[in-house]
Amino acid sequence: MSFFHHLVSRFLPLWLLIFLVFLVLSLGKSQKEALQVKVGIVLGSNVTFTDLSLRAFEMSLSEFYNTHNGFKTRIVLNIRDSKQTVVGAAASALYLIKKREVVAIIGPGTSMQAPFLINLGNQTKVPIISFSATSPLLDSLRSPYFIRATHDDSSQVQAISAIIESFRWREVVPIYVDNEFGEGILPFLVDAFQEINVRIRYRSAISVHSSDDQIKKELYKLMTMPTRVFIVHMLPDLGSRLFSIAKEIDMMSKGYVWIVTNSIADLMSVMGESGLENMHGVLGVKTYFARTKELLYLEARWRKRFGGEELNNFACWAYDAATALAMSVEEIRHVNMSFNTTKENTSRDDIGTDLDDLGVALSGPNLLQALSTVSFKGVSGRFQLKNGKLEATTFKIINIEESGERTVGFWKSKVGLVESLRVHQVSLSSRRLRPIIWPGDTIFVPKGWEFPTNAKKLRIAVPKKDGFNNFVEVTKDETANVPTVTGFCIDVFNTVMSQMPYAVSYEYIPFDTPDGKPRGSYDEMVYNVFLGEFDGAVGDTTILANRSHYVDFALPYSETGIVFVVPVKDGKEKGEWVFLKPLTKELWLVTAASFLYIGIMVWIFEYQADEEFREQMIIDKISSVFYFSFSTLFFAHRRPSESFFTRVLVVVWCFVLLILTQSYTATLTSMLTVQELRPTVRHMDDLRKSGVNIGYQTGSFTFERLKQMRFDESRLKTYNSPEEMRELFLKKSSNGGIDAAFDEVAYIKLFMAKYCSEYSIIEPTFKADGFGFAFPLGSPLVSDISRQILNITEGDTMKAIENKWFLGEKHCLDSSTSDSPIQLDHHSFEALFLIVFVVSIILLLLMLASRRYQERQRNASPNLPNDQANAAQEEGNEEGNFGDHIVEVDTALVRRKKLTSKTIPIRRVAQLSRLKSA
């Protein structure tokens, strides 16, 4: 045993040496047997993020093949320096394809270098794989051989739009680098902002070759504009210069808003401490990678291998791109990796170029198909191409401070802004960002615009009117030639502007001609605001849909609606048929039918209870029943009823008649004694049928409305003031006047304040949005002015202004007139008639049940015992003898006093007759 241990310990180093030699030989053999696949890389040197990306690419291949020893292919990198130029990138790619015959090219580093490489790859069928060319304009080349192993810049546009919308900013200015990279995002920004009604006031393009003085000049130009929201899209080197100069000229102070895209936010590590200090308060949209175990393990290996250099997003995309390419190459290992070169025949006089004998990669289509279908969980998330590029679903919103960046929220596709990714069910409260430190070290959200210190006064147009001066009146001092503007609308605007949270300088410019006449219609005044001649329009300008195409209106501050006004007449009812007016035709018919119904029910009840009634002729029966029914109207029914059911029905019917007659008497008295002022025309349709003249205010949009309602244009007359309207009414249509006027409620109220007892408003009332202040499209003043209008209309300020200009108006409008005499209709008495009907039906059922019960009793009487029958017969004889006596006495009384059936109950006479016959 000791000998064995001694042998092992002596020869153990020799055995280990033999094992190591065998392992090295095996590995070398496997490497020699693996297929070497050449892949080119075109990146610029001396650039931080491309250097890190190249390290990540090589690290990914090394780790991938270490964990996949069984793969039959190995990627061999051929690296070329693009010299940071478009020509250098093109020359490098051409060299790699012609001289090295690479099956794929990684690169280029920038979007400007990409177009030539994309076209070259499309011609030679060599896939161009880029993890840093992010411009959306590259999609316009429509090359299937361009693989974007990253997100394009358009994917972050919705996140930027959501930020703008959440803070309700209405204008923005994009500042971008003046090349293909900067311009690529603009069309998508424009589309996104149009969806949320945000205006791009100006586009600031800055060249990469601009000097500091040129950048400063451009920023000074932006300072003269009211917009204070800027979106910066450029690379960090130019961005750091921009923010340094912006801070120098005090554009990083309170009131400014700066938002940077991920072109800067993803590379904050290269900005340095001074860059962070200059960008204090800036918002950024940053690419978000989930903190998966793959990413955490890579960061740990990266720190161990490269020390303190940060692993950025481009390095992660490069790492995943290398893995995807290695998997795809292994999948097509049986495909021919060579080029099909066809040399064209050229004469000696021809001068050939490097593009003449370009070959075509035989593996291109197969490699492209493998790349399009590859899918795995990478360090940047799920690697799966869609339309040749990766899709972004989440962005991180950061707030840049001097100490670094701070996460204030996230943007998720199909969800929007959220404060935290842990929120599963998004509510209104979660659709916000965490507190933000804005430029100027303030937490108050900037309003997004300001009037520049050197801004000129706003030129506010006011209409020149010849009438209705309570709203707007323009007068001029003949000596100083200075216009003075007064009126209800002017007071409202002055009050609103005085309550604004900031000072606004403005002046009123009358919309008139040099000789003091109105310059045009209200539509023309609004259109001149659109053309830029005026900065706004104030006055009795109605908010209309067609005008809103040219200007933005603040909230209305007057009553809304358009109405017809017509003269009134004394509507006291006269004539021989006035007694029929208190009740409608329907109620008269229902009442008559009810009398007939009651008569029929009385006939049924009395026929069963009164033998004498049954013996009468049919004519006598009809006259008796309906005389009894109609006499209840005057409570003159003297003849007592023989039926219990008749008496119950009559009591209910008399109650209904009592209510009906009292209501009729009250209504008729009102018609004969109270004066009623009624309009001469009750509805707009009557005006159109009668063909009378209609008045409208000069220059008003109501003229077009009347034509739309098919009124004859020759019948339309104009007026300028309430006095002119009154004169036209007095003339009437027969003398060239009018019989109706069509105008807005505000003007009609002013007219009715003077002549309310003589005119009335008729149906219908047409919708209109009232008066509003007009400003250019996208003006940030609109929202602030609308808020102040709400403040003064909800308080006592608006009432005070109305009392100043429209005193006595409310009293007149309260004295309204009635369109027609008040009539009682059948709907008011439906319940009463229903009660009568239900009671009559119940009584009829009870009568039928009683009759059936009596028939059963009579059928059971023959079966009585003999003793009971004899007793009944003796009792009947006694009653018969007594009855004879009674009949004789009663007959004598009847002959002597000549009594009628009105004093002798029908049932009693029948009993006496039966006793006498017995």
Side-chain angles (χ1 to χ4, degrees), residues 100 146 215-216 230 255 343 377 639 641 651 659 678 739 769 776 829:
R100 297 298 183 184
F146 176 54
I215 296 176
K216 185 180 297 185
F230 305 109
K343 187 176 181 62
K377 189 174 182 181
R639 181 179 180 275
S641 303
V651 170
I659 297 176
R678 292 187 297 157
D739 286 326
D769 289 334
F829 300 95

Side-chain angles (χ1 to χ4, degrees), residues 94-113:
L94 194 59
Y95 171 82
L96 290 173
I97 293 176
K98 288 192 64 175
K99 303 299 182 181
R100 297 298 183 184
E101 293 188 348
V102 295
V103 299
I105 293 179
I106 305 299
T110 65
S111 298
M112 289 72 70
Q113 302 168 2

Side-chain angles (χ1 to χ4, degrees), residues 42-55 81-85 108-110 113 131-132 235-237 267 270 309 312 314:
V42 179
L43 292 175
S45 60
N46 300 323
V47 180
T48 304
F49 84 90
T50 55
D51 182 52
L52 295 178
S53 302
L54 182 59
R55 293 183 189 179
D81 186 6
S82 66
K83 307 297 183 181
Q84 293 299 309
T85 62
T110 65
Q113 302 168 2
F131 48 79
S132 55
L235 292 177
D237 53 351
L267 298 173
V270 303
E309 293 187 78
N312 58 33
F314 293 101

Side-chain angles (χ1 to χ4, degrees), residues 375-442:
S375 177
F376 60 92
K377 189 174 182 181
V379 295
S380 62
R382 171 60 58 179
F383 187 96
Q384 187 171 10
L385 299 176
K386 185 175 182 181
N387 298 324
K389 58 186 175 182
L390 297 178
E391 281 194 328
T393 59
T394 306
F395 284 96
K396 181 164 60 173
I397 313 301
I398 62 173
N399 187 198
I400 301 174
E401 301 175 355
E402 295 180 359
S403 58
E405 63 183 57
R406 179 173 58 90
T407 302
V408 295
F410 297 88
W411 179 88
K412 300 176 64 177
S413 60
K414 300 180 181 180
V415 176
L417 291 177
V418 292
E419 186 176 348
S420 173
L421 291 177
R422 292 190 296 270
V423 179
H424 299 290
Q425 295 181 351
V426 180
S427 60
L428 291 177
S429 60
S430 63
R431 291 182 180 271
R432 63 176 186 270
L433 301 176
R434 299 188 184 114
I436 298 172
I437 304 297
W438 301 98
D441 203 22
T442 178

